[in-house]
Amino acid sequence: MTSSRNRISKAVIPAAGLGTRFLPATKATPKEMLPVVDKPAIQYVVEEAVTAGLSDVLMVTGRNKRPLEDHFDRNYELEEVLRNKGDATKLTRVQESSDLATMHYVRQGDPKGLGHAVLCAEPHVGDEPFAVLLGDDLIDPRDPLLARMNAVRDEHGGSVIALMEVDPETIHLYGSASVSGTDDEDVVRVSGLVEKPSVADAPSNLAIIGRYVLDPAVFAVLRDTAPGRGGEIQLTDALQALAADPSLGGPVHGVVFRGRRYDTGDRGDYLRAIVRLACEREDLGPDFRDWLRAYVNKEM
Ligand code: G1P
């Protein structure tokens, strides 16, 4: 089913959330700008989209999100200072984020949920399949998930979500999927989805993680989706409607991801993400690992 009509070129990154779990750090700084080692979390996500061939990136932002636009734009003053100093390394670091992708921005206005944020992307996306990447989930670049999801959409059409097995006790933090197997070990057909169910109501311990490849039919479904969990328009509910009735816009498949995912959405996981990524860095890792080993042996 591969055709140019199917080729995905646009990524949508919802980034309008208030980040209240990180107050006071997020009082005047968007949570997406919090550093993970030495890069803002959002830059990893844009880099992932670009690596998967999606160089047209739309961020759905809100009030107080100007630093996001500035980060992906040129900073001529800083570049000039670094150029005059002859500091090529830092100059490259400053330019990396502005040279990455073609960035577009739209404001969500009212924070009416993830489904509503995706709907705000419709005028930009139009009638093409597109990807959605949630900023709280970082996927290790060594485990290319989006490329796999694109390949599954090429094969089956419709929409593709990313799933991960989680401890059943934590399923209430995610959307949960009921699925059946396919010929591919890592691909499932999704027959139902529930947003943030209790352990008892969860159809499985397969949790939705924040990567989606969506058929544009999702926009019409979202327009008809009533507010759900938390009074918000849920993307999960629109995908449930698509899964229940493939005549609306093709089937929904899931790629079961078994690679490395770092959750930066809560404080404990954010700290773990920084430690893990710092340990693995070629430049900082060796010294940091030595220090960490000594620290753990001495203090714990
Ligand atoms: C969103 C989705 C949820 C998904 C999660 C993944 O929830 O609504 O289905 O499991 O992202 O991170 P949020 O964490 O934004 O509340």
Side-chain angles (χ1 to χ4, degrees), residues 73-282:
D73 197 0
R74 302 290 296 269
N75 183 333
Y76 290 107
E77 267 175 308
L78 185 54
E79 287 178 33
E80 196 54 29
V81 170
L82 293 170
R83 204 171 286 116
N84 289 341
K85 276 190 184 169
D87 196 332
T89 310
K90 289 199 182 114
L91 182 60
T92 308
R93 277 193 206 146
V94 166
Q95 290 172 333
E96 262 168 15
S97 54
S98 47
D99 291 346
L100 255 180
T102 310
M103 303 297 300
H104 306 269
Y105 301 90
V106 61
R107 284 199 181 207
Q108 191 175 356
D110 294 324
K112 289 193 276 194
L114 178 58
H116 177 247
V118 171
L119 205 43
C120 294
E122 185 179 16
H124 180 78
V125 169
D127 193 26
E128 290 174 33
F130 63 105
V132 174
L133 294 85
L134 304 189
D136 285 348
D137 284 310
L138 302 189
I139 302 295
D140 195 294
R142 291 164 295 183
D143 301 317
L145 171 60
L146 263 184
R148 180 73 186 123
M149 295 171 73
N150 282 339
V152 171
R153 156 133 180 135
D154 280 347
E155 193 182 340
H156 297 282
S159 298
V160 183
I161 61 176
L163 297 169
M164 197 163 186
E165 280 184 40
V166 298
D167 175 354
E169 298 298 317
T170 65
I171 196 72
H172 66 281
L173 300 170
Y174 302 93
S176 166
S178 57
V179 303
S180 53
T182 69
D183 292 342
D184 284 313
E185 201 209 329
D186 63 334
V187 179
V188 290
R189 171 83 181 245
V190 176
S191 53
L193 292 163
V194 189
E195 178 68 3
K196 305 205 173 88
S198 63
V199 189
D201 293 337
S204 75
N205 69 332
L206 283 173
I208 303 175
I209 55 172
R211 298 294 179 272
Y212 307 79
V213 170
L214 299 176
D215 189 276
V218 74
F219 293 128
V221 178
L222 276 168
R223 265 193 296 278
D224 284 343
T225 300
R229 179 119 197 142
E232 297 188 335
I233 298 173
Q234 297 291 350
L235 180 58
T236 302
D237 293 344
L239 287 164
Q240 153 64 27
L242 284 170
D245 182 0
S247 75
L248 294 173
V252 179
H253 284 84
V255 169
V256 182
F257 182 64
R258 299 197 173 86
R260 287 157 281 198
R261 163 185 176 253
Y262 312 100
D263 184 345
T264 58
D266 98 354
R267 288 175 299 174
D269 287 334
Y270 170 72
L271 292 175
R272 283 184 275 276
I274 292 175
V275 171
R276 285 171 64 176
L277 286 167
C279 283
E280 288 169 17
R281 278 272 294 258
E282 267 173 33

Side-chain angles (χ1 to χ4, degrees), residues 14-17 26 29-35 40-43 65 68 135-136:
T26 48
T29 303
K31 68 168 175 170
E32 293 81 7
M33 289 302 295
L34 295 181
I42 193 73
Q43 191 174 330
K65 299 285 182 165
L68 289 174
D136 285 348

